[in-house]
Amino acid sequence: MIEEGSKRGKAMVEKRQLFMEMRAQNFDVIRLSTYRTACKLRFVQKRCNLHLVDVWNMIEAFRDNGLNTLDHNAEINMSRLETILSSIYYQLNKRLPTTHQINVEQSIGLLLNFMVATYDSESHGKLTVFSMKAMLATMCGGKIVDKLRYIFSQISDSSGVMVFAKFDQFLREVLKLPTAVFEGPSFGYMEHSVRMCFPQQKIMLNTFLDVLMADPPPQCLVWLPLMHRLANVENVFHPVECSYCRSESMMGFRYRCQQCHGYQLCQSCFWRGHANGPHSNQHQMKEHSSWKSPAKKLSHAISKSLGCVPIGEPPHPVFPEQAERPQELTHTVQPKPVANNMNDTMLMSSGAPTPTKSVLESPSRLDEEHRLIARYAARLAAEAGNSTQPCPPTDLSFNFDANKQQRQLIAELENKNREILQEIQRLRLEHEKASQPTPEKAQQNPTLLTELRLLRHRKDELERRMSALQESRRELMVQLEGLMRLLKDEEQKQASQSGGSPHSSPSHGAGCSMPMPIRSTSAGSTPTHTPQDCLAGVGGDVLEAFSQGVPRNLRNDLLVAADSITNTMSSLVKELHSVDDGREEEETNMRNGGDRVRIQKH
């Protein structure tokens, strides 16, 4: 008893969780019931992750679970409904990347409790197939035109004409959604709602779409297209300041007053009825779902005035007026067997009734398979071009010759595209041939031939100059090597003299500016990277200094060599002067010493 009470309490908490979260959003401050209803249903859609399920995936899930073989008034219990929702969300997680996976159990619980609160207020524990289809097809993601096409396929007969009784049933079911979010007084079901929407007697697909997608749509369903517009503008940015709250940017809708110049409101201020200055809530406001710069507005106005932009665009594509019996998108996804092993296992484990053999082999099911086979046969015959039979009967789901003009136009465009590509390739080849001069062209053009001769002459002159420079460089380096040998010999002589005479001064004494000794190498080393063997015969320190692998500037090398020779010669002259001064001093001392000896003797 305690466990049953805890489970029941937990179920009540989960049942109220979604409505408690919706009340916390404070949508009731929105003064317009249309926006208030659309915002609440958009919140439910996102909270249950239905906005991630496309209408095509939803219809495929209906077929995979065998709902297309059941009557609209057939009832399914809660366990079967939970199995269907599980398949929808698990298939969704397979399509989503791993970083955007949803909590399947939580989504199932929230959506199941919302559907029960909406369509099973008397707690019968069952929902009709049509209720579930209408609710999920309306609240899922995708384009509104695709949703309305599917809904029309469910409420039309085999000749493609809407059945008013089925449309009335659809209104009863879909208008329970505003009632579930406490907006029933504004958008509740009324008996004359059908005639208010369609006063005509015969409604085809295009007429159905024209009425429900008009501006404005029928009053009872005005929240449905607004909910889709809300989804499209949630991330739209307007770099405009709100005239009331002074916000420097707007997200979502933007509203411009048609009477007050430059007066604009963000969606939050407009929905709450805020106004200031000369503006009043009674003024007519224009809703903007995008931002256009003044330059774009000017170009659009000019194009519109010149007739380059169509003034009015159709709200939806025009579909062929032909019979479309209730179908489950068999043209986009191949029909699968209703009962497979996985679904049977899931249904049996949940205790839900599985489709019986009589349902699977019913005449309607066999008739649908025969029609499918006939449709594919007609398509193959049309493509082969050997068909001698008349067009398929009007009760087929598709007429493959209806888009013949479109196919011809596509074929013509493809041919033009191929021709353009061939022309581009031809022009490219001609350009390449023209950019490569040939001997024949050179002979035909004397100016070009003269220029070529001048270029060759200039090249030969530069090569000769390069050879002369290399030879001059080699000679300078040979001279530099000889000077460095003289310096070394002089240093050795001074070293021997300094070792024998205490009065001799070292070569690096005061007043001498000899260069620092350079690291010597073997005289037989040969440069490996010097062009034209310009360093042949040069060895030692000079060879090491100038035989680097990195290419050098000849002019800089000559200047450096000249500076080195000058410095070396000046150092040599100074050293020779110092040696001569030392010798003269020794000779003077020796003379003075001899004179002193003679004086002492006397």
Side-chain angles (χ1 to χ4, degrees), residues 161-388:
V161 180
M162 187 187 75
V163 180
F164 280 87
K166 292 185 178 180
F167 179 68
D168 181 73
Q169 184 183 3
F170 167 73
L171 285 182
R172 290 177 185 270
E173 302 299 338
V174 78
L175 292 179
K176 289 180 181 179
L177 293 172
T179 304
V181 293
F182 314 107
E183 296 296 333
S186 301
F187 300 104
Y189 172 78
M190 294 182 293
E191 295 294 337
H192 59 280
S193 297
V194 177
R195 289 301 172 185
M196 289 179 63
C197 296
F198 299 104
Q200 303 93 333
Q201 295 296 326
K202 185 178 180 180
I203 305 300
M204 305 296 287
L205 174 60
N206 290 319
T207 307
F208 179 78
L209 296 176
D210 290 339
V211 172
L212 295 189
M213 297 183 66
D215 188 16
Q219 182 60 31
C220 60
L221 295 174
V222 68
W223 51 270
L224 181 58
L226 179 58
M227 185 176 70
H228 287 78
R229 295 207 308 272
L230 279 174
N232 294 332
V233 302
E234 283 182 347
N235 298 319
V236 174
F237 174 76
H238 305 269
V240 182
E241 182 183 11
C242 178
S243 300
Y244 183 85
C245 66
R246 299 302 177 185
S247 176
E248 296 182 357
S249 60
M250 303 182 189
M251 295 294 294
F253 286 119
R254 174 171 56 91
Y255 298 89
R256 176 187 290 273
C257 182
Q258 301 299 296
Q259 299 182 23
C260 304
H261 177 70
Y263 192 89
Q264 299 187 85
L265 293 176
C266 62
Q267 68 176 18
S268 179
C269 294
F270 176 75
W271 289 354
R272 286 158 176 76
H274 295 161
N276 59 348
H279 178 71
S280 172
N281 289 330
Q282 305 301 322
H283 292 179
Q284 184 179 2
M285 303 290 287
K286 185 176 181 181
E287 183 181 273
H288 295 273
S289 59
S290 62
W291 163 256
K292 291 182 180 179
S293 62
K296 288 186 178 180
K297 291 181 181 179
L298 179 61
S299 62
H300 182 77
I302 294 174
S303 301
K304 189 175 181 181
S305 63
L306 296 176
C308 301
V309 178
I311 298 177
E313 297 181 356
H316 64 85
V318 180
F319 299 97
E321 294 287 356
Q322 66 175 39
E324 287 196 15
R325 65 184 303 275
Q327 43 87 22
E328 303 290 337
L329 253 67
T330 54
H331 61 288
T332 57
V333 182
Q334 292 294 336
K336 300 178 181 179
V338 176
N340 52 37
N341 296 334
M342 184 183 69
N343 289 336
D344 291 343
T345 305
M346 293 174 63
L347 295 176
M348 287 189 295
S349 62
S350 61
T354 58
T356 60
K357 185 177 180 180
S358 60
V359 173
L360 294 177
E361 297 180 357
S362 60
S364 61
R365 178 70 179 178
L366 296 176
D367 182 63
E368 183 179 357
E369 293 179 356
H370 288 306
R371 290 177 187 275
L372 182 63
I373 295 172
R375 187 183 310 125
Y376 287 147
R379 181 177 181 179
L380 292 174
E383 291 179 354
N386 299 325
S387 176
T388 57

Side-chain angles (χ1 to χ4, degrees), residues 385-400:
N386 299 325
S387 176
T388 57
Q389 300 295 330
C391 296
T394 57
D395 58 347
L396 293 178
S397 299
F398 298 96
N399 184 0
F400 292 98

